[in-house]
Amino acid sequence: MSTRVTLAVVSFVVLIVHGIVFYDQFFNRWERHQTAYFEQARSLAKTDAERRALDDRSPRIEQTIVTQFGESRVDRCTTCHIASDDPRFQGHAEPLRTHPYSAALGDVERNGRWERRHKFTDFGCTICHDGQGRGLETFYAHGEDEFWPDPMLGYITQANWHPEYKSKLTGKEYMQANCAQCHTEENFSGTPLVQRGRQLFFEKACYGCHRIEGLSNGTLGPDLSDVGKKFKVNYLWEHTVNPRAFQPTSFMPKFDLTDDEIKALTVFLKSRRGINFAETSLGQYRARLQQTKVDETAKPQTSTAPSPARGEQLVSERSCTACHKLGERDGHIAPDLSYEGLIRDEDWMMAHFREPKSRIPDSIMPVFGFAEPDFRSISAYLKTRSTPAPFKTGEEIYKGLCARCHGEKGDGKGVTYLYLDPAPRDLTKAAFMNSKPEDRFLQSLKGGVPGTSMPPWERLLTDEQRHAVLAYVFQTFVREPRQELKAHKVPEQNPITSSVESIHRGEQTFLQRCTGCHGRKADGKGPNSLDISPRPRNLRNSAFVNSVPDRRLFDSILYGVQGTAMPSWIDYGLSQNDVGDLINFIRSMNPQTGSPASEKSPALTSQVNQEVLCQGKCK
């Protein structure tokens, strides 16, 4: 008996399921929408002719094929949104609702009736809204499927998008990104967010790193000319908020942006599709050709005489404080320039402007292609920043000059630490701080650390002030009494004469022992480096390596660096002769030529090192 009941229940369920499937297959939702439209339209009809026209219509798939804008588009949106162009349905619910009219987009009202500038028969729907034009079910047509690259802009958020940002990614204003495909003029009234995003792109100095065809020529970051075609708005939003959310190794700064600014940048970037439908390929070619001719013939109008007043204006115009601190303005990303006139001389500034990596090899500052007179004017202005700091006590000095990089807690995590390489020293690590002589710290405070962002404070702080701030650091952050330093048995000068053979032996030792942290290119970016704090040294940082005496290199390699991941290699069998060869190899990669550091490191091979050493004379 129970078996019969079970079979009966199962049969009934199967019958219901088949009925539902049959109903969905033969009575589509879009058919029900059209039937409802015909019924309501009949009730609104004012003449018999209108009613007869409706009687002759029956549900069918409505389709528009658009061929005027790039690749052909097939739009079936009006299959459900059948009333989109019927002005009588303005107060109805979707999908039986009239599409809104917009004077900003060119719609015109004449004698109480609106006329569309963008007729659906010419433009379709997806060119403005995105979505999947061929879809006949909401899930597919609106682009809810997470594998569909173009969900409806401002209306649809896909299931796998970050929940925290979903509410921020809706709103019809996102469609301005698509309007900008045709309406490219900067002050077009229908695309205010695109215009604001374009302004922010320059105000936040994004132009220095990123290239956008026709707008900027940055080279450090990805080309954004077609970023709107490659990525959805959720990626653009999240990457703007926190670049490391998608790419943990990204060196793009995290800017202080409001939600409104992030939205404007997101809409602007979404509008970058690589092409715009208002221009033909021939038109684009002619525009680029004309721009090239203008670039070739244009002569800079800037005066060759450096002007501090012009420099101050340029600092504002070129958005330097989007990253740097200068007086009350602070981008919370790059070093403080408020006392630059007392810290750097003009030669250093000019070399750094032309090629930042020539002075700080791991700097993330881009190369700005400004005219030489502009660089000199900016330098002239920064030279006027020479008023001594008002700080008196060690605490005031630390908070005013040091905390920006080393952090308020002295842990090396100031507001700029993510963007500095080498990272600021963690002053709370007593093992390191108490293992170095006081003179070394005082010398770093006086002359800076070449090849890093640690500046020389010699002309800004007196000897007394440098002693005071160092005492404050030990008292506040180290908190452990200094002990007598143990003498290490290391030579003052490398006893191993540099030769092709010595460099080759040093390279073999390096490849066997050091690449896990320092990398095969010796640039400090080995496979273990991401998990190490502070990061391993970039041994191709010529400014730093050439400033370090042999004794310090011997000490660091043989006895390690306390408070870091650098081990004591004397415990792993390295002799002084091994270390001497290793130092010769490191020195061979950093010839003291005085030439700016190259952005790209040369290959790490004995052949290259031999050529450097022999200068083409070895046989």
Side-chain angles (χ1 to χ4, degrees):
M1 183 68 180
S2 60
T3 302
R4 291 180 179 179
V5 171
T6 301
L7 288 173
V9 170
V10 170
S11 299
F12 182 70
V13 170
V14 170
L15 182 63
I16 291 176
V17 171
H18 276 77
I20 293 173
V21 171
F22 178 85
Y23 184 82
D24 279 346
Q25 289 295 317
F26 291 94
F27 299 94
N28 293 291
R29 188 178 296 272
W30 61 265
E31 292 184 88
R32 297 199 292 274
H33 292 322
Q34 291 195 13
T35 300
Y37 168 73
F38 296 146
E39 291 176 355
Q40 293 184 49
R42 284 192 192 94
S43 67
L44 295 172
K46 296 181 179 179
T47 65
D48 292 338
E50 288 182 29
R51 282 186 281 273
R52 282 195 298 273
L54 290 167
D55 290 338
D56 292 338
R57 295 181 66 179
S58 60
R60 67 176 187 181
I61 295 176
E62 301 287 342
Q63 179 169 284
T64 301
I65 300 178
V66 182
T67 60
Q68 301 178 57
F69 307 100
E71 297 179 357
S72 296
R73 293 168 176 260
V74 177
D75 278 5
R76 296 171 179 167
C77 309
T78 51
T79 301
C80 289
H81 297 275
I82 191 170
S84 58
D85 214 19
D86 189 335
R88 298 173 299 176
F89 283 74
Q90 292 189 45
H92 286 59
E94 293 290 5
L96 302 184
R97 184 177 184 179
T98 308
H99 189 286
Y101 298 94
S102 171
L105 294 177
D107 296 342
V108 179
E109 186 178 16
R110 292 191 177 95
N111 300 322
R113 293 182 62 87
W114 282 92
E115 295 182 11
R116 298 190 188 278
R117 179 179 181 182
H118 305 91
K119 293 180 170 56
F120 301 133
T121 53
D122 296 331
F123 292 84
C125 301
T126 56
I127 194 170
C128 294
H129 286 279
D130 285 338
Q132 186 174 346
R134 295 174 183 265
L136 291 173
E137 295 181 21
T138 302
F139 179 78
Y140 297 107
H142 290 181
E144 295 179 41
D145 183 356
E146 65 185 70
F147 297 105
W148 184 252
D150 300 308
M152 284 184 64
L153 268 178
Y155 291 91
I156 295 300
T157 58
Q158 295 178 338
N160 62 336
W161 291 9
H162 199 292
E164 179 183 352
Y165 300 114
K166 281 189 175 184
S167 62
K168 304 177 188 295
L169 297 172
T170 56
K172 62 182 181 181
E173 61 271 16
Y174 279 94
M175 285 195 300
Q176 293 178 30
N178 281 339
C179 298
Q181 300 308 297
C182 294
H183 301 281
T184 57
E185 57 269 35
E186 289 190 17
N187 297 315
F188 179 62
S189 60
T191 57
L193 277 183
V194 176
Q195 168 67 4
R196 178 58 181 145
R198 185 187 290 108
Q199 292 172 348
L200 287 167
F201 181 79
F202 290 98
E203 287 177 9
K204 299 301 179 181
C206 310
Y207 72 92
C209 292
H210 294 286
R211 177 183 181 272
I212 292 181
E213 185 174 359
L215 286 180
S216 62
N217 296 303
T219 57
L220 278 183
D223 188 327
L224 302 181
S225 298
D226 59 354
V227 67
K229 183 169 64 175
K230 293 179 179 178
F231 298 108
K232 305 172 187 178
V233 289
N234 69 310
Y235 176 90
L236 298 176
W237 182 289
E238 291 188 49
H239 194 276
T240 303
V241 171
N242 181 12
R244 300 193 178 200
F246 287 94
Q247 298 175 350
T249 58
S250 172
F251 59 78
M252 175 176 163
K254 184 178 180 180
F255 291 96
D256 293 330
L257 298 169
T258 65
D259 280 355
D260 287 341
E261 289 175 328
I262 296 168
K263 178 181 286 188
L265 277 168
T266 299
V267 172
F268 168 69
L269 293 174
K270 187 63 181 173
S271 74
R272 302 296 95 191
R273 304 291 181 92
I275 62 169
N276 72 69
F277 301 128
E279 297 175 350
T280 64
S281 298
L282 180 59
Q284 291 181 5
Y285 168 75
R286 287 174 174 167
R288 285 196 295 269
L289 184 63
Q290 182 63 30
Q291 183 61 45
T292 302
K293 291 179 179 178
V294 170
D295 292 342
E296 290 175 350
T297 59
K299 295 182 179 179
Q301 302 298 315
T302 309
S303 171
T304 56
S307 164
R310 172 63 177 156
E312 184 175 11
Q313 180 184 358
L314 287 168
V315 165
S316 177
E317 288 179 355
R318 306 293 169 82
S319 304
C320 300
T321 52
C323 294
H324 289 281
K325 182 178 187 298
L326 189 56
E328 298 301 318
R329 294 169 293 174
D330 190 353
H332 299 108
I333 291 169
D336 188 349
L337 303 179
S338 301
Y339 307 101
E340 196 72 358
L342 289 173
I343 297 173
R344 306 293 190 186
D345 58 29
E346 185 177 3
D347 288 344
W348 193 98
M349 290 185 199
M350 289 300 296
H352 187 261
F353 280 139
R354 296 187 190 105
E355 171 53 84
K357 292 180 183 294
S358 69
R359 290 298 178 264
I360 304 177
D362 292 298
S363 171
I364 67 169
M365 179 172 168
V367 177
F368 291 99
F370 303 159
E372 185 80 1
D374 289 347
F375 282 145
R376 293 202 175 277
S377 290
I378 295 174
S379 296
Y381 167 64
L382 292 178
K383 288 294 291 180
T384 67
R385 309 290 304 189
S386 57
T387 303
F391 315 119
K392 296 179 180 179
T393 66
E395 180 179 4
E396 289 178 354
I397 294 169
Y398 181 84
K399 290 181 177 179
L401 300 178
C402 312
R404 181 177 183 79
C405 297
H406 291 283
E408 293 181 2
K409 298 178 180 179
D411 56 2
K413 295 184 178 180
V415 294
T416 64
Y417 88 100
L418 280 174
Y419 315 115
L420 303 180
D421 190 1
R425 182 68 66 182
D426 183 348
L427 305 176
T428 66
K429 290 190 174 180
F432 173 82
M433 299 297 290
N434 286 330
S435 68
K436 309 303 175 189
E438 186 179 89
D439 286 346
R440 173 171 161 180
F441 296 120
L442 290 172
Q443 179 55 39
S444 295
L445 283 167
K446 180 180 180 180
V449 180
T452 78
S453 295
M454 176 67 181
W457 300 114
E458 180 177 11
R459 290 190 291 171
L460 188 61
L461 299 176
T462 64
D463 285 342
E464 182 181 354
Q465 288 175 313
R466 292 194 290 272
H467 277 86
V469 72
L470 185 59
Y472 172 78
V473 167
F474 273 94
Q475 202 172 38
T476 309
F477 305 129
V478 181
R479 298 180 181 177
E480 289 187 14
R482 290 181 64 82
Q483 300 177 359
E484 184 178 353
L485 299 178
K486 295 181 180 179
H488 291 162
K489 187 179 179 181
V490 294
E492 291 292 334
Q493 301 290 331
N494 189 352
I496 307 300
T497 302
S498 184
S499 65
V500 173
E501 293 77 12
S502 173
I503 290 174
H504 178 74
R505 292 193 299 268
E507 181 179 9
Q508 297 310 306
T509 300
F510 180 86
L511 292 173
Q512 293 169 10
R513 307 267 188 150
C514 312
T515 56
C517 297
H518 292 281
R520 292 186 65 84
K521 294 182 178 180
D523 56 2
K525 295 176 174 59
N528 303 328
S529 63
L530 289 177
D531 300 319
I532 295 175
S533 180
R535 297 281 179 87
R537 283 284 182 188
N538 175 4
L539 300 177
R540 289 182 179 272
N541 185 335
S542 297
F544 174 78
V545 171
N546 291 333
S547 72
V548 177
D550 287 347
R551 176 180 177 82
R552 178 170 161 184
L553 291 177
F554 266 97
D555 190 86
S556 297
I557 296 171
L558 282 174
Y559 295 97
V561 180
Q562 289 74 12
T564 76
M566 180 68 179
S568 172
W569 284 103
I570 199 172
D571 298 334
Y572 293 90
L574 280 191
S575 66
Q576 282 202 5
N577 286 351
D578 294 330
V579 176
D581 290 333
L582 190 54
I583 290 174
N584 285 335
F585 166 67
I586 293 171
R587 297 285 192 205
S588 74
M589 292 186 292
N590 298 278
Q592 297 191 23
T593 59
S595 59
S598 173
E599 184 172 345
K600 293 185 178 180
S601 300
L604 179 60
T605 65
S606 294
Q607 181 179 0
V608 170
N609 298 326
Q610 181 174 339
E611 291 174 354
V612 170
L613 180 68
C614 301
Q615 297 181 344
K617 299 178 181 179
C618 298
K619 296 182 179 180

